[in-house]
Amino acid sequence: MKKLILGATLALTTLAGGVVFADAYPERPVMMMVSYGAGGATDFQARIVTMTAGNEDALGMPIAIINKPGAGGRVGWNWFATQAEADGYTLGAYNVPHFIAQSIKGGVEYSTDSFEPIANWGADPAVFVVATDSPMNSMDDVVAFANENPGKLTFSGAGLFVGHHIAALQLEKAAGVKMAYIPTKGGGAAAMKAVIAGEVIGGVNNLSDAFRAQEAGNVKILGVFDLERNAFLPDVPTLKEQGYDIDNASVNFRGIMVPKGTPQEVIDTLAATVPEMFKNGKVSKKMDAGGSPMHIMTRDEVIEMWAAREETLKELLAGL
């Protein structure tokens, strides 16, 4: 009993200006929840950016990925907000604008106040894709078909009020057309399969997923939903270049967060360590090989990004 009391006392006592718990953290492997299925861009990238977590110059303990997919991320983020332990041993991957847009529209148990951001690893623009044998070769072709066939241009995406859906809403508004956006149950991977299999005419997907699919000869990428062309696709014009007034509101920012209530000492340890972990040369090399754009941001920068995106999305989604 005395040992238990002593252990509890040490865990709550500061030593030389630092908290013992924080100094020792992490003492065991860490789990990170990804709210999308295996094989999609978020899962693919999460496994890469955490691959060096066990190194002594990182956390010194490995990070294991656990997938909780469903409802465009809602299943995983609801679980993370309401059931995950706030002890630093359960991390979560965030996707913005996804979870912010979903919280604005309601029907979920989370908001930006439910989580504490740690660091951002990437910014993945949405792109419009069609199968390689499609007669469409530009966004003008897509819009022409939509004009001639109102509501009949079917295209897939990873869910409702995720980046893909935001891009779809922007396209309909900018082009003045009505299209049939079809959210898939299996995230970006399933949405891409629907395009390749000919189940839909086109799709909005992540640049990173689309890059790999195009490299494999399975799709054509017709446009990028961003303000500038992407280095991975220098020959693919933005939607704005093709005459459609669409900004970068759908760009998918990905990073790591923890549940609200996680000890500040743990948050500080992660915030100092994780961005440096993302900068590891092995990580950047694998991300580059997979066509996955990196965009590293610190905790303070992510806090600002979340706030700015929330304001943009409130305006965009008003009235929907």
Side-chain angles (χ1 to χ4, degrees), residues 56 194 306:
E56 287 302 317
W306 280 15

Side-chain angles (χ1 to χ4, degrees), residues 18-313:
V19 176
V20 172
F21 176 69
D23 289 344
Y25 172 83
E27 297 180 308
R28 62 180 189 273
V30 178
M31 180 190 79
M32 187 164 85
M33 187 281 300
V34 171
S35 55
Y36 292 96
T42 303
D43 175 79
F44 175 80
Q45 293 179 15
R47 294 176 189 276
I48 293 175
V49 299
T50 59
M51 62 184 286
T52 63
N55 292 0
E56 287 302 317
D57 60 352
L59 290 177
M61 285 288 174
I63 294 177
I65 304 298
I66 178 171
N67 300 91
K68 287 185 177 291
R74 291 170 177 82
V75 170
W77 290 319
N78 272 330
W79 174 86
F80 195 66
T82 60
Q83 299 181 51
E85 293 289 336
D87 59 1
Y89 289 93
T90 305
L91 313 179
Y94 67 73
N95 296 70
V96 173
H98 306 38
F99 90 81
I100 296 178
Q102 291 163 2
S103 69
I104 291 171
K105 295 308 295 179
V108 298
E109 299 180 69
Y110 51 83
S111 69
T112 52
D113 292 332
S114 303
F115 312 121
E116 292 282 358
I118 297 301
N120 193 87
W121 77 66
D124 205 349
V127 297
F128 199 96
V129 299
V130 294
T132 50
D133 59 356
S134 170
M136 299 178 184
N137 293 300
S138 70
M139 291 308 300
D140 283 345
D141 292 341
V142 173
V143 171
F145 182 94
N147 272 318
E148 294 168 7
N149 305 274
K152 294 183 179 180
L153 195 156
T154 56
F155 65 115
S156 60
L160 291 175
F161 299 109
V162 300
H164 301 168
H165 192 196
I166 300 300
L169 293 171
Q170 289 185 306
L171 178 58
E172 286 186 322
K173 181 179 179 181
V177 296
K178 183 63 178 175
M179 304 165 71
Y181 176 75
I182 301 176
T184 59
K185 293 182 178 181
M192 187 65 72
K193 288 178 182 177
V195 176
I196 296 170
E199 298 170 3
V200 289
I201 294 174
V204 177
N205 218 298
N206 306 300
L207 182 148
S208 53
D209 279 333
F211 176 85
R212 294 193 298 275
Q214 181 171 262
E215 290 290 290
N218 293 324
V219 300
K220 295 185 290 188
I221 303 173
L222 305 186
V224 180
F225 292 80
D226 205 349
L227 299 178
E228 298 178 352
R229 294 195 186 197
N230 192 276
F232 285 102
L233 301 171
D235 296 327
V236 179
T238 66
L239 272 292
K240 188 174 286 289
E241 283 183 84
Q242 297 182 67
Y244 304 98
D245 187 18
I246 295 174
D247 63 14
N248 62 346
S250 65
V251 172
N252 187 352
F253 287 91
R254 297 189 181 94
I256 293 177
M257 62 185 178
V258 294
K260 184 71 74 173
T262 299
Q264 188 61 48
E265 296 80 11
V266 173
I267 292 174
D268 292 343
T269 297
L270 289 168
T273 305
V274 171
E276 296 305 312
M277 182 177 77
F278 292 162
K279 295 175 184 178
N280 185 287
K282 292 181 179 179
V283 169
S284 59
K285 185 176 181 179
K286 280 188 172 292
M287 289 284 280
D288 187 64
S292 298
M294 295 198 75
H295 187 93
I296 299 171
M297 289 190 281
T298 64
R299 171 172 159 78
D300 288 342
E301 291 170 328
V302 177
I303 289 173
E304 291 183 9
M305 182 267 287
W306 280 15
R309 289 284 151 164
E310 188 165 27
E311 289 304 310
T312 298
L313 291 167

